[in-house]
Structures are given as structure tokens and as C-alpha cells.
Amino acid sequence: MADQNTPSTKEPTATAGQRVWGVLRFVAHRTFVEPVRRGRMSEDPEFPWPRGIRVLVVIATVLYTALVALSVVGTRLREVTPVVAGGSMSLPVLVILVMIPAIIFGSAGFFVAACHWRHPVRYAIFAALVISYVFASSGIVMLVGAVLALPMIVLSIVRRRARVARWEMPLAVFFFGILTSSIIMEPRDVTPLDALAMLLQFLSWMAYPSVFAAGAAIVEIAVGAASWTARGVWEAAYSGSRRAGWTLFALLIVWTLLADVLSLTEGSVEVLPSRLLVALIVVVLVGLVALMIGWLVPMGMRPGVPVDADDVSAAWVRASRPIVMGFAGAYLLGPLIWDAVTFGGLSTYHSLQFVLSIFFLVLAIRAARRGEATTAVILATSAASTFLIQSLNALRVSLVSGQALTLVLDGLTLLILVGLIVARRLTPDRLLAIATAFLLSRFYTIRDWFDEPFTNLFAVSGASAALAVGLIWRQLTEYEFTQRGTSVFRVDARVLLGLGNMLLIGVCILAGTVAGSASPASLDQVEGVADRNIGTTLYLAATLSSLLIAWRGREGGDQRPGEEFGVTALARIEPKATVPAPSIGQKAVDVASPESGTARSPRRGGSG
């Protein structure tokens, strides 16, 4: 007989309120906290920063904080501070006093980083800086700039293989400070504010990659929230009340059906039968391309799919860099290339996207052969969708709309769900994939709601709240590359590149929110292009990954729900068992029990 005084080792059962709180905490941690913690600009103990770099990081952080703070209250400053007016825009004096040092410091950061980056991209940075300051100046300023540029050119040649010295950044700040001041104060036909606006217009080109990434940031947040919400509820339901889980799943289906019926009955041109047919063709072909690229992964012919939606969300920032750089380069180079390269009456920018699709496909094959399954799927999705959409544009076929894609994907998800029920193959893991696909469509449809609370906060007039929120989000999550260095691009130069980019982005945010539609850095059009192209790629990659898992199963067998939401345990996700899970309604075998005969092992392709 057991001793009654022996304390019980059984963990207390979580209440419904504790489980709900655990799910909310889990979703918030995975969607917001973890991306920021992983992608922020921070020092890695294995790659310590030199002492001088830390001082520069502090200065740049203070300037960026001031830029964002003024973006929030900038329009109200007009009521309490003097305003300087120019021919094209007007700005409060305090805004100008913060903006000019940020431009100088950001340009210097780009220049010094390019001096120590042994890669062809350094020449693109040099060219962008030269074009910006040359076209914004005239007369004596150009002569002064040419004289001052000689020692800087020598510096870029001599110091390219060395570490960043402490005196390089102050010298670059002095150089760009003289140039910027000369451009603003030069006596000519335009006002000083117009001269500043002209310089800002050219410098904003260097921020285009981040702007393209920011254009898809709202979709990035929506996809992350959807995938982690589905997984969190799934874990909580199967470790607690399955009846509540089935109820939530039924409500999700009802929500999907009602949303789709309303979309079809509202009479929008985006849901015409022709557009739905085109969207179906695009979805099927993109899914086949992604599946074939997945087969190129080592042992990729094994049954099952190695990538799911939360893998796509977690790997997006790193995997999307070539996509962002490609679209930004095509957008900038398009107007500069001779019109003879156009194809089928398309603009140069749209014609270059055919080249981009081939480039993305090559990168996808390379990533697959290296075993980076998630990166390969993302790049393959971008390559296929870009090529198909531009081909349809060239053939003058109905454009593919986001609403049509959502309806088609919802229909395919319902068909797969019915097929799994009829075939008695609806396992808990496949149910998770189905629920994730439904939630992705719903969150993608209402993604504009994510920036609604910030519209009044930024008090934007001509600029987009989505762009401002996206730019700030990317500044919090895209600097993982500054944490480690290589012999080609050392960590100190990486940090300076990140600081320069951060400050120019802050200037663009401030100019866009304070100056409004007259801002020289108004990038709303770029944000719309990025949302349609890059954001659609993310949505398709995540949803198709879920549908492929629901259809073919997960590589290595189904995952089992784990005890993620104990009363005292921190919400987390760990690798699940790789033994096949029984169908719903059958008795499951505990993976930790001797009967299972299989130990826990991590699944491949998690992060790409």
C-alpha cells in the first residue's frame, strides 16, 4: 500500500482559462517576440563587436528612435513649432534638425560598409551614393565633392581587406556632412528644403530592398499569426478538451463558407468565373513546381512533405532576401533599360520579372540540393508564380487577384478535407494542416486589419500606415546578418551596413508620414507592388505547404500533439514523434511508451 504521506507527482490539470492564456501567450511569443529576438541587431559572443562599433550603434539607435517618435507626433509639431516651407513640401524645423544628421550618418555607414565588403554589391552602393549626391548638387558643390572624393576612393581601395578602423566612420561622417551641407546651402534657383528633398529622393533608392520587404510585412505577420494560432489551438485541444477543439474547427469551417459565399455574391469583378479559372491554374501549377523542387532535396522522394506553414513563417526573413533584392533591382533598373527589351507589350519592369523567375528557380534548385527544404519551397513558389502571372499578363488574360486565389485555395482545402473523411485518413496532424490552410486564407483576407490601429497613431495623410508599420517591423527583424561575419564581409562592416540602412529607412518613414503625399520619399506604389508580388508568394508557399501535408502526409510520419501548455510550463514547440498517427477515432499509442517502439526524433526541413 502506498504511503499516504508521499507527495503526488501528478501535474495539476489546467483549467480552460489557463489553456486559453497559454495559447495566446504561445501565439504572441512565436509571432512577435521570437522573430524580433532572432532578427534584432545584437552582438554574438563568438563575433564580438569592436569598442568603437558599440558607440556607433548607440548613436544610430538614438537617431532612429527620434525619427520614429517624430513620425508619430510629426504632424502635431506643425501646431507648436515653426514650419519651413519649400516649393514641393514643408517640414517642421525639429524634423529637419533630426533628419539631416540621420542622412549624413546613414550615408557614411553605407560607404564604410561597402569599403570593407569584397563583393560586387559594393559597387552598386558606391554608384547609388555618387548618383544621389551628384544629381542633387550643381556648380561649385560638384567640384568640392570631386576633390573630397579622391581620398575616399583611395580609402575604399586600400582598406577593403582590413577591419574597420575607428577613424574611418568619423572621416566618412565629415565627408558626407560637408557634401550635404553644401547641397542644402548652395545658392541656386531652388530653396534649401527643395535641395534636401531632391537628395532624399535619390537616397531613398537605397532603401528600396527594405521597402519591398516591408510591403510584404503585413502578410508576414498575418501568416505567422495564422500558422501559430492553428498549432497552438491544436496542441491545447488535444492535451485538454477535444470537444472544444472540434467546436472551434467547425466554427472555422462556417467562417470560411460564409466569407466565400459573401465574396461570390458581392458581384466583384475579381471573382468572375474567368478569374477563378486562371487562379486555379496558377495554384495547381505552382503547387506542382513546389512539389517537384521538394523531390530534389536529399531523400526528397520519401513519402510525405518536409515543410509546413510554420516552417515557412519562421524561415521567411532569410529565405526572402534574394526575392526582395530581385524585385527591388528590377523596379530600379526597369526605367533605365532600353524599351526594346519589352516582351508582349509589357513594361521593362514586368519583362525583367521573367528573368527573375529563372533566377529564383536556379536558387531553389541549389537550396534543395543543399537540403534547405523550406528555402527551396519559398523560392520555387516565387519563381513559378512570377513566371505564370507575367505570362498571363503578356497574353492579356484576366489578372490573378488575391480574392480569387483565396476562394480557389478554400475550395481545394474543402475538397481535400472531404476526401480525407471519406477515405478515413483524417489524422490529427492532417487536421492541423487543414485548419492552418483555412486560417491562412482568413487572416490573409483581413490582413489590412493589422495596420488599422496604427493609421491614427501615425496620422498619415498621403503615406500608407501599412508601409510605416512594415518598415518598422522589418527594422526589428531583418538584422540577423549583423550577428555573424565572414572573411569576405566582417561583422563590423555588417553592423555599419545595418545602421546605414536603418537610418535611411527611418528618414523615409519620417518624410512619408510628416510630409504626406508631397514627400520625395513617398513609396506607396512600391509597397503595393511588394504586397501583390512578394506577399502573395508568402501566402501561397504557406498555404500550399499545408495542403500538400494534408494530401500526402508529413515526411517521417504524423506529428503527435505534445504537452505544450502545462500549468507551469512555458509555451513551446518541440520535435514530435515520427511514428504514424492513427486516424481520428482510433486509439493512439503513446510515443513515450514501450509499445510504440520508436523514440522521438526531429523532423527535417524545419527551418530551411
Side-chain angles (χ1 to χ4, degrees):
M1 182 175 179
D3 188 358
Q4 294 181 354
N5 296 325
T6 303
S8 176
T9 59
K10 184 178 179 181
E11 293 186 1
T13 302
T15 64
Q18 289 172 324
R19 292 187 183 279
V20 172
W21 172 247
V23 172
L24 294 176
R25 186 178 59 172
F26 171 79
V27 174
H29 179 81
R30 288 287 180 168
T31 305
F32 300 104
V33 177
E34 194 171 271
V36 173
R37 182 180 298 171
R38 183 175 57 245
R40 65 185 176 181
M41 187 180 297
S42 59
E43 185 176 5
D44 191 314
E46 297 182 8
F47 296 86
W49 293 350
R51 184 177 301 174
I53 293 295
R54 297 190 184 97
V55 175
L56 297 177
V57 169
V58 172
I59 295 173
T61 302
V62 171
L63 280 174
Y64 181 75
T65 303
L67 291 169
V68 175
L70 289 176
S71 300
V72 176
V73 301
T75 53
R76 296 175 177 85
L77 287 177
R78 296 176 178 272
E79 303 174 1
V80 296
T81 60
V83 176
V84 177
S88 58
M89 69 174 183
S90 61
L91 291 173
V93 173
L94 183 59
V95 169
I96 298 175
L97 294 178
V98 176
M99 187 180 292
I100 292 177
I103 291 175
I104 296 171
F105 200 97
S107 300
F110 267 109
F111 177 80
V112 177
C115 288
H116 296 269
W117 190 2
R118 287 179 287 160
H119 191 277
V121 177
R122 70 196 297 256
Y123 301 110
I125 296 176
F126 289 147
L129 289 172
V130 170
I131 291 174
S132 299
Y133 280 90
V134 167
F135 279 82
S137 61
S138 63
I140 189 64
V141 176
M142 295 183 65
L143 179 60
V144 172
V147 173
L148 293 176
L150 291 178
M152 306 304 291
I153 294 174
V154 174
L155 174 67
S156 66
I157 297 174
V158 174
R159 300 287 302 172
R160 68 184 185 276
R161 295 182 180 274
R163 293 184 178 274
V164 178
R166 294 187 182 181
W167 52 266
E168 291 185 49
M169 192 64 182
L171 178 62
V173 169
F174 174 76
F175 169 70
F176 285 101
I178 291 180
L179 279 183
T180 304
S181 302
S182 301
I183 290 173
I184 295 174
M185 302 306 297
E186 181 185 9
R188 47 178 167 169
D189 297 336
V190 297
T191 64
L193 189 59
D194 289 332
L196 177 63
M198 191 181 305
L199 176 62
L200 180 57
Q201 181 179 7
F202 289 112
L203 285 177
S204 65
W205 293 355
M206 302 179 66
Y208 269 35
S210 291
V211 173
F212 267 88
I218 298 299
V219 179
E220 178 187 348
I221 296 173
V223 168
S227 57
W228 293 121
T229 299
R231 179 172 290 276
V233 173
W234 181 73
E235 294 281 354
Y238 275 91
S239 61
S241 173
R242 298 196 180 186
R243 179 180 300 176
W246 279 110
T247 302
L248 291 175
F249 183 69
L251 291 176
L252 177 59
I253 295 179
V254 172
W255 182 18
T256 299
L257 292 176
L258 288 177
D260 290 345
V261 169
L262 290 176
S263 297
L264 291 172
T265 56
E266 67 180 3
S268 173
V269 69
E270 294 187 1
V271 295
L272 292 175
S274 59
R275 295 204 172 191
L276 293 176
L277 178 61
V278 170
L280 176 62
I281 295 173
V282 170
V283 168
V284 172
L285 292 180
V286 171
L288 290 176
V289 171
L291 187 60
M292 289 188 290
I293 292 296
W295 287 340
L296 297 178
V297 179
M299 301 186 68
M301 295 297 290
R302 290 167 51 182
V305 179
V307 178
D308 58 13
D310 47 35
D311 292 331
V312 174
S313 175
W316 172 251
V317 172
R318 182 179 59 181
S320 64
R321 285 173 188 160
I323 301 175
V324 168
M325 295 298 294
F327 277 103
Y331 194 86
L332 284 173
L333 294 177
L336 304 178
I337 298 179
W338 190 32
D339 290 339
V341 300
T342 57
F343 172 75
L346 296 177
S347 66
T348 308
Y349 164 69
H350 291 92
S351 300
L352 286 175
Q353 292 191 31
F354 285 105
V355 180
L356 283 181
S357 63
I358 299 174
F359 173 64
F360 295 154
L361 184 61
V362 171
L363 292 181
I365 295 174
R366 178 172 173 266
R369 294 190 180 279
R370 294 171 60 181
E372 300 173 355
T374 306
T375 301
V377 168
I378 292 174
L379 290 170
T381 303
S382 180
S385 60
T386 301
F387 183 84
L388 290 172
I389 292 175
Q390 296 309 318
S391 299
L392 293 172
N393 290 341
L395 297 174
R396 300 294 188 270
V397 180
S398 299
L399 297 177
V400 180
S401 65
Q403 192 173 1
L405 286 176
T406 301
L407 288 170
V408 167
L409 288 170
D410 284 345
L412 291 176
T413 307
L414 286 171
L415 286 177
I416 293 175
L417 174 61
V418 173
L420 291 174
I421 294 175
V422 172
R424 301 180 63 84
R425 295 171 55 200
L426 184 61
T427 62
D429 193 36
R430 298 192 183 206
L431 180 65
L432 169 63
I434 293 291
T436 302
F438 279 140
L439 268 183
L440 284 168
S441 294
R442 302 283 64 76
F443 278 45
Y444 179 76
T445 302
I446 62 174
R447 65 188 184 279
D448 292 338
W449 293 8
F450 287 91
D451 63 75
E452 242 354 273
F454 300 94
T455 302
N456 293 328
L457 175 64
F458 286 98
V460 291
S461 51
S464 169
L467 178 60
V469 173
L471 286 172
I472 294 175
W473 172 253
R474 292 296 297 196
Q475 298 314 293
L476 296 173
T477 59
E478 71 176 359
Y479 291 115
E480 185 181 0
F481 73 92
T482 64
Q483 299 172 6
R484 292 176 173 267
T486 63
S487 59
V488 176
F489 197 18
R490 300 182 187 274
V491 67
D492 46 8
R494 289 170 179 255
V495 172
L496 290 179
L497 180 66
L499 295 180
N501 182 74
M502 179 175 67
L503 288 176
L504 288 187
I505 287 296
V507 171
C508 290
I509 295 173
L510 180 57
T513 54
V514 176
S517 58
S519 167
S522 184
L523 302 170
D524 293 351
Q525 184 178 0
V526 179
E527 185 266 337
V529 172
D531 180 75
R532 290 191 300 271
N533 291 277
I534 304 176
T536 301
T537 293
L538 173 57
Y539 168 60
L540 280 175
T543 308
L544 288 175
S545 298
S546 298
L547 293 182
L548 289 174
I549 286 181
W551 174 39
R552 302 185 70 241
R554 191 183 302 273
E555 181 187 85
D558 284 0
Q559 288 185 350
R560 297 283 181 83
E563 296 179 357
E564 311 294 348
F565 302 99
V567 175
T568 59
L570 179 67
R572 63 191 183 277
I573 284 292
E574 295 177 348
K576 303 299 185 300
T578 56
V579 296
S583 300
I584 292 177
Q586 298 181 5
K587 183 179 180 180
V589 179
D590 186 6
V591 295
S593 65
E595 291 83 1
S596 64
T598 305
R600 291 181 181 269
S601 61
R603 56 188 175 88
R604 344 181 338 267
S607 62

